[in-house]
Amino acid sequence: MLDKFKKHIDYKFPFLKESKLLLATSGGLDSMVMAQLFHQLKYNFALAHCNFQLRGLESFGDQQFVQEFADANAIPLFVTQFDTEAFANDYKLSTQVAARDLRYNWFYELLETENYDYVLTAHHADDNLETFLINLSRGTGLEGLVGIPEQNDKIIRPLLTFSREEIANYALENSITWREDSSNASDKYLRNKIRHHVAPLLKELNPHFLTSFEKTQSYLRESSAMVEDASIMVYQQVAQQYENEIHFDLNQLKRLPNYKSYLYQWLHEFGFTAWEDVYDLVESQSGKQVFSAEFRLLKDREFFILSPIHTEEEIKEYLIHSADEEVNIPLNLSFCKVDDISETSNTAIFVDEDKLQYPLVLRRWREGDSFQPFGMGGKSKKLSKLFKDEKLSLIEKENCWILLSNETIVWVVGLRQDDRFRIDDTTKNILKIQLD
């Protein structure tokens, strides 16, 4: 296996020879074989061990085992301990997801603070098969079937073409010792059920199943690349970016023979999972919407509008004092005194400054807000009615800010000025307020 491994590294990852490497080392079979292989090939590497404190004394036994291996072979070692269960509870994660997040965050931190180039993990071909079957059983798109990548940014998996059997045989032939994780014997986790029961049956049906599976995944990766290329080309015809929003033209979208596939390709990275709701939205009435954890997809007439969900921080009030010449949060507004009125627009108003009471307040509109627009003889108009007349989308309404003086609207920013603060024959001080 050593020769095969060396040829594989030389072909796929020749740059590792001149790099500083961190080997993720649990003390189990796979990681100990990986460490021994790189040690025999005399690469420049250190070990990185995570103690997740999930198996009591057994976890500390793993840590001690890795420490003794590092000492015996004069290999640098980094060790950290996590209160994984507390982290999982705090962030409402499964134990497995919590351990993975803690692990990779620490690895990236080590790369930066200790000046290493890559992290190497000991995932192998059987891990790849198990991941494929897990994703398949849960329902997934093409990206869930292409397998674990051999390289993902700074993470490299040099054993991915080797089977668990090859790794075990090499360990036995070379008297490599390792630690058994007692949790691997349990069928509590789906991965273990697949490892113990499903994968052996597939290999029994076809002794060369892993080889066939690797070929299939190679075809799937090629198909995935083709889908990605097509997705990008069609996206440019259907979608338009507007600051923090993306607008999808539904007329263009519905001309596509497989528009649901394109929607999935474009939207899954934004955390959407209720796909039938997303697809039904195409024929829904205007104003309907679907949410992910952080984003919202709105049907607005002939468009889908994708936008972030507002946080509480974004809906607070901002004070503007008489001495302020400009503000930059949440909008870019400038305030300057002028001698006369130049051409007005939606982005600039002129008001009688003596009618203002400071501090002015800038906030998002609320249901029930009303103002007195020009030409209505002092009659009030609700902002909701203004928005309807202007045919604003739900997102445009939510993004609307109002400028107030003593709880009276001065300006529906970017739309209309209130008549009560207009310039007249008695005005002595003119203030220009500009939206940049």
Side-chain angles (χ1 to χ4, degrees):
M1 180 179 172
L2 180 63
D3 288 340
K4 182 180 176 182
F5 180 77
K6 183 179 184 304
K7 290 177 182 178
H8 174 64
I9 295 297
D10 289 345
Y11 175 68
K12 278 294 185 72
F13 311 109
F15 53 87
L16 294 185
K17 193 66 178 177
E18 306 302 323
S19 304
K20 287 182 64 179
L21 312 177
L22 275 174
L23 273 57
T25 311
S26 66
L29 167 66
D30 314 324
S31 64
M32 294 310 298
V33 166
M34 181 176 68
Q36 188 64 44
L37 288 167
F38 277 101
H39 184 58
Q40 287 183 257
L41 295 175
K42 302 186 185 309
Y43 275 69
N44 180 11
F45 70 93
L47 307 180
H49 176 79
C50 301
N51 182 346
F52 296 106
Q53 302 189 75
L54 293 171
R55 292 176 286 113
L57 292 176
E58 188 178 333
S59 293
F60 287 92
D62 294 346
Q63 179 179 325
Q64 182 62 30
F65 175 78
V66 174
Q67 181 72 62
E68 290 172 357
F69 174 81
D71 291 343
N73 293 281
I75 300 172
L77 170 66
F78 299 96
V79 174
T80 191
Q81 297 175 4
F82 298 116
D83 189 342
T84 310
E85 290 185 344
F87 181 84
N89 290 333
D90 289 345
Y91 290 92
K92 295 179 174 56
L93 303 172
S94 70
T95 302
Q96 289 177 307
V97 171
R100 183 191 65 200
D101 289 352
L102 289 168
R103 180 186 192 212
Y104 282 103
N105 287 341
W106 182 59
F107 289 158
Y108 275 105
E109 183 181 324
L110 282 178
L111 288 180
E112 184 173 347
T113 59
E114 302 297 333
N115 296 316
Y116 281 82
D117 299 309
Y118 299 97
V119 173
L120 277 58
T121 69
H123 292 92
H124 48 68
D126 288 81
D127 290 324
N128 209 1
L129 172 60
E130 291 160 11
T131 299
F132 173 91
L133 293 172
I134 288 171
N135 290 340
L136 183 65
S137 69
R138 291 173 174 168
T140 182
L142 187 57
E143 76 284 349
L145 302 178
V146 297
I148 304 170
E150 283 193 301
Q151 182 172 1
N152 184 12
D153 189 24
K154 297 291 186 178
I155 307 297
I156 294 177
R157 302 171 178 92
L159 292 180
L160 211 52
T161 60
F162 297 87
S163 68
R164 181 180 284 114
E165 183 180 7
E166 285 180 281
I167 294 169
N169 288 339
Y170 182 80
L172 293 173
E173 291 167 3
N174 291 272
S175 302
I176 297 173
T177 57
W178 67 88
R179 295 270 295 181
E180 286 289 355
D181 183 339
S182 61
S183 66
N184 287 338
S186 168
D187 282 349
K188 175 182 177 182
Y189 301 112
L190 176 58
R191 182 176 292 274
N192 286 356
K193 290 179 182 178
I194 290 173
R195 180 178 301 167
H196 298 154
H197 306 290
V198 180
L201 181 59
L202 293 172
K203 293 176 185 177
E204 181 182 330
L205 294 172
N206 177 6
H208 304 291
F209 183 83
L210 277 181
T211 302
S212 301
F213 172 68
E214 186 176 352
K215 288 181 181 178
T216 298
Q217 283 209 313
S218 175
Y219 301 145
L220 287 172
R221 283 191 288 271
E222 291 174 3
S223 298
S224 179
M226 184 173 62
V227 167
E228 180 67 21
D229 290 343
S231 173
I232 292 171
M233 288 190 291
V234 175
Y235 179 89
Q236 293 170 346
Q237 300 170 19
V238 174
Q240 186 73 40
Q241 183 83 36
Y242 294 95
E243 295 184 355
N244 64 339
E245 297 177 4
I246 301 174
H247 293 204
F248 298 92
D249 187 326
L250 291 178
N251 290 322
Q252 293 278 3
L253 180 71
K254 287 189 284 189
R255 292 193 183 104
L256 303 173
N258 299 299
Y259 71 78
K260 292 182 181 180
S261 299
Y262 286 105
L263 280 176
Y264 178 87
Q265 193 72 15
W266 297 329
L267 297 176
H268 77 272
E269 65 183 275
F270 294 96
F272 290 94
T273 56
W275 292 109
E276 291 307 315
D277 292 342
V278 170
Y279 303 146
D280 289 345
L281 202 62
V282 174
E283 301 298 340
S284 295
Q285 66 186 44
S286 185
K288 294 289 186 180
Q289 50 194 330
V290 177
F291 294 89
S292 69
E294 297 180 3
F295 291 88
R296 157 252 303 282
L297 187 67
L298 169 72
K299 169 75 176 290
D300 181 53
R301 299 175 181 84
E302 299 304 319
F303 289 88
F304 273 171
I305 301 177
L306 177 70
S307 66
I309 298 172
H310 293 308
T311 64
E312 290 300 317
E313 179 66 21
E314 292 176 307
I315 60 175
K316 70 179 185 180
E317 296 183 349
Y318 297 85
L319 300 182
I320 300 170
H321 300 276
S322 59
D324 293 336
E325 295 183 354
E326 64 177 36
V327 295
N328 304 114
I329 298 175
L331 303 174
N332 292 321
L333 294 177
S334 60
F335 302 81
C336 65
K337 293 181 180 181
V338 295
D339 295 328
D340 52 36
I341 300 175
S342 58
E343 184 177 350
T344 60
S345 68
N346 286 342
T347 59
I349 63 170
F350 296 84
V351 300
D352 187 331
E353 186 176 26
D354 295 327
K355 296 177 181 177
L356 298 177
Q357 294 186 42
Y358 289 94
L360 305 180
V361 173
L362 186 63
R363 64 164 172 83
R364 295 192 187 274
W365 84 284
R366 298 169 186 159
E367 197 65 47
D369 283 336
S370 62
F371 78 125
Q372 293 182 13
F374 288 125
M376 288 189 62
K379 293 181 179 180
S380 294
K381 182 173 185 175
K382 287 193 173 183
L383 295 196
S384 56
K385 181 66 167 62
L386 171 69
F387 297 152
K388 185 176 181 179
D389 292 344
E390 295 289 333
K391 294 183 170 55
L392 298 191
S393 70
L394 177 62
I395 294 174
E396 288 172 323
K397 288 189 285 186
E398 289 181 351
N399 286 330
C400 187
W401 293 84
I402 58 175
L403 184 67
L404 302 101
S405 168
N406 192 27
E407 300 186 2
T408 300
I409 293 179
V410 177
W411 188 19
V412 184
V413 180
L415 284 176
R416 296 286 180 81
Q417 178 182 345
D418 192 290
D419 183 61
R420 286 166 289 190
F421 298 89
R422 65 182 173 86
I423 308 301
D424 58 31
D425 294 339
T426 66
T427 299
K428 296 179 180 178
N429 297 296
I430 301 173
L431 182 69
K432 179 182 180 182
I433 306 176
Q434 174 83 41
L435 174 64
D436 297 321

